[in-house]
Amino acid sequence: MLKIKLHQSTPNPLQINLECNSGELHALVGPSGSGKTSVLRTIAGLNTAQFGSVVCNDETWFEADETQGVLRNLPAAERCCGFLFQQYALFPHLKAIDNVAIPLQNSGLSSEARKKIAVNWLDRMGIGDLVDRMPHQLSGGQQQRVALARALAREPKILLLDEPFSAIDAPTRQGLYRTLADLRKDLNIPIILVTHDLREADLLADRITVIDQGISLQTAPPQVLFQRPRNSRVAALVGISNIYQGVFNAGNLSWHGCEQTFSVADKGKIPPDSKVAWVIPQKGLSVHDTATAASVQAIVTRISSLGQIAVIQLQIQNSENVIEWEASAAEVKRLRMEVGSLMHIELDSAQIHIMPLRPINDPRRFIGQTQ
């Protein structure tokens, strides 16, 4: 298990608390510059936090507190991390087999034993026939497989992946996803993945931590995170488009700027007459070409076709609220939908998720800084 508590206020705010079990893949997501890669580098010993701790399998790699400073800081070479970089970082003058064998240089093994291990890992990556290729003779996907083999060659205690699939075409990426899924079963080590691709995180991760300006805002399994974000900032960062405001009072939710109200289950955590933010997922929306007892009228303001999927924006009549709805091209055709069409939208109140309305736009408030 990997346990991380990282804190600092300067030069860049950082407040990260997370755990990753053996055999688990934990994804870090957030906007560019949010601190995701800094977390990986601090785990690996390439950066140093002001205080906190990094503990792997009950071995303390880093420990520091506010009063005594750094108490322990294991050098990067002694932390036994497998680190896979976005741009592969292969040595251009070395063959694939020699690139993979590099981490074993100080292992005490003979040259023959090191090469045997390297060949074994290249075989596991499905490129055992490319051992003598130079990096420039390999495709992007093949180079990344060599880099992954190198990261695993010395049997690391954890694997750190820094946007490893972002520079690879979609078919190659799918193949690497399968390779990583197969490896997880055998490795049984914590894996931390930094990615900007929410679909990738949803597909691969057991848990996701959302990071903004160095602060971890929420950690949850993907299905929980995308359906029940902690606040509207998290909702925005994970790509939820239908975010609104209202007032919640004992099970009754109003919709700011709209006459519609909803009956929403009250778990007793929100005081009466509280201003709230709320979201509704795509599965909570249905659009019709005729009115129903629970529908509201809306005008189609935009239709963006993405192959067989269309993203439609509809503005609620007599309101500034806009709903984004995703549908198949066939469904759009069936409804005879076009810009300017009058539609009727039903919102399933059972799918509505309510969040406290807080000043969350600047997460640095957690560590005593203001914008």
Side-chain angles (χ1 to χ4, degrees):
M1 172 182 281
L2 179 68
K3 296 182 180 180
I4 308 162
K5 294 182 180 180
L6 304 175
H7 303 264
Q8 69 182 38
S9 55
T10 58
N12 298 309
L14 191 66
Q15 183 166 308
I16 305 293
N17 298 315
L18 63 87
E19 295 182 356
C20 185
N21 297 315
S22 296
E24 180 183 17
L25 192 149
H26 195 127
L28 308 182
V29 303
S32 297
S34 61
K36 304 184 297 297
T37 296
S38 294
V39 173
L40 290 195
R41 291 179 62 83
T42 305
I43 295 170
L46 302 176
N47 289 358
T48 302
Q50 287 180 321
F51 59 98
S53 62
V54 176
V55 179
C56 182
N57 296 338
D58 297 324
E59 180 185 8
T60 300
W61 289 357
F62 171 78
E63 184 178 10
D65 61 37
E66 294 180 273
T67 57
Q68 301 180 71
V70 176
L71 301 173
R72 180 173 174 80
N73 191 10
L74 211 61
E78 298 179 22
R79 295 197 184 193
C80 201
C81 293
F83 205 134
L84 185 59
F85 299 90
Q86 180 178 357
Q87 298 299 330
Y88 322 135
L90 298 179
F91 290 95
H93 61 291
L94 296 180
K95 296 177 181 179
I97 186 172
D98 296 320
N99 264 286
V100 176
I102 280 179
L104 304 172
Q105 290 282 7
N106 298 319
S107 63
L109 298 172
S110 67
S111 175
E112 183 179 351
R114 295 198 301 269
K115 288 191 175 183
K116 185 176 180 179
I117 292 172
V119 169
N120 176 62
W121 275 108
L122 289 169
D123 280 336
R124 293 181 70 175
M125 294 298 136
I127 53 172
D129 57 333
L130 304 178
V131 294
D132 292 323
R133 294 278 183 91
M134 304 297 284
H136 73 272
Q137 296 173 315
L138 301 171
S139 68
Q142 291 166 345
Q143 289 185 51
Q144 194 61 296
R145 288 177 184 273
V146 173
L148 181 55
R150 182 179 61 186
L152 296 170
R154 63 170 182 161
E155 300 182 355
K157 295 179 180 178
I158 61 172
L159 180 59
L160 307 176
L161 308 174
D162 189 6
E163 300 201 34
F165 311 121
S166 61
I168 301 172
D169 62 84
T172 303
R173 192 181 306 132
Q174 293 297 322
L176 280 164
Y177 289 166
R178 289 190 291 271
T179 298
L180 183 59
D182 291 339
L183 285 171
R184 284 182 59 185
K185 301 174 185 177
D186 299 330
L187 295 174
N188 196 36
I189 60 175
I191 302 174
I192 306 291
L193 168 68
V194 162
T195 179
H196 67 278
D197 188 332
L198 292 168
R199 292 179 181 175
E200 182 173 278
D202 188 15
L203 177 67
L204 298 176
D206 299 293
R207 286 188 291 171
I208 299 173
T209 292
V210 179
I211 299 177
D212 190 24
Q213 297 188 52
I215 312 298
S216 53
L217 300 183
Q218 183 175 1
T219 296
Q223 63 271 25
V224 174
L225 182 67
F226 293 119
Q227 297 295 328
R228 305 185 68 81
R230 178 170 293 168
N231 53 47
S232 56
R233 180 58 176 165
V234 173
L237 289 174
V238 299
I240 297 175
S241 54
N242 295 319
I243 308 173
Y244 308 102
Q245 293 186 14
V247 175
F248 186 68
N249 185 25
N252 186 64
L253 172 67
S254 69
W255 187 355
H256 181 70
C258 186
E259 296 180 358
Q260 186 82 354
T261 60
F262 307 96
S263 178
V264 179
D266 184 2
K267 296 183 179 180
K269 296 182 179 180
I270 299 179
D273 291 320
S274 293
K275 292 182 179 181
V276 295
W278 59 276
V279 297
I280 186 164
Q282 287 296 314
K283 68 179 183 179
L285 301 173
S286 57
V287 178
H288 313 277
D289 55 2
T290 56
T292 68
S295 66
V296 294
Q297 293 184 336
I299 300 294
V300 177
T301 58
R302 179 184 298 175
I303 300 177
S304 301
S305 296
L306 306 168
Q308 294 302 309
I309 300 295
V311 178
I312 300 97
Q313 287 187 351
L314 305 103
Q315 183 166 351
I316 305 300
Q317 281 204 323
N318 302 317
S319 168
E320 295 182 356
N321 289 311
V322 173
I323 283 182
E324 192 170 278
W325 182 57
E326 297 178 6
S328 66
E331 181 70 358
V332 172
K333 183 177 180 180
R334 184 188 69 81
L335 292 170
R336 296 190 290 274
M337 185 181 292
E338 59 185 31
V339 173
S341 297
L342 176 64
M343 293 287 123
H344 304 271
I345 306 176
E346 285 190 40
L347 290 80
D348 182 357
S349 60
Q351 299 291 331
I352 290 175
H353 171 57
I354 299 173
M355 304 165 288
L357 189 62
R358 299 185 180 123
I360 47 73
N361 291 328
D362 185 3
R364 288 173 295 180
R365 71 192 188 285
F366 289 123
I367 51 177
Q369 293 203 3
T370 58
Q371 191 167 8

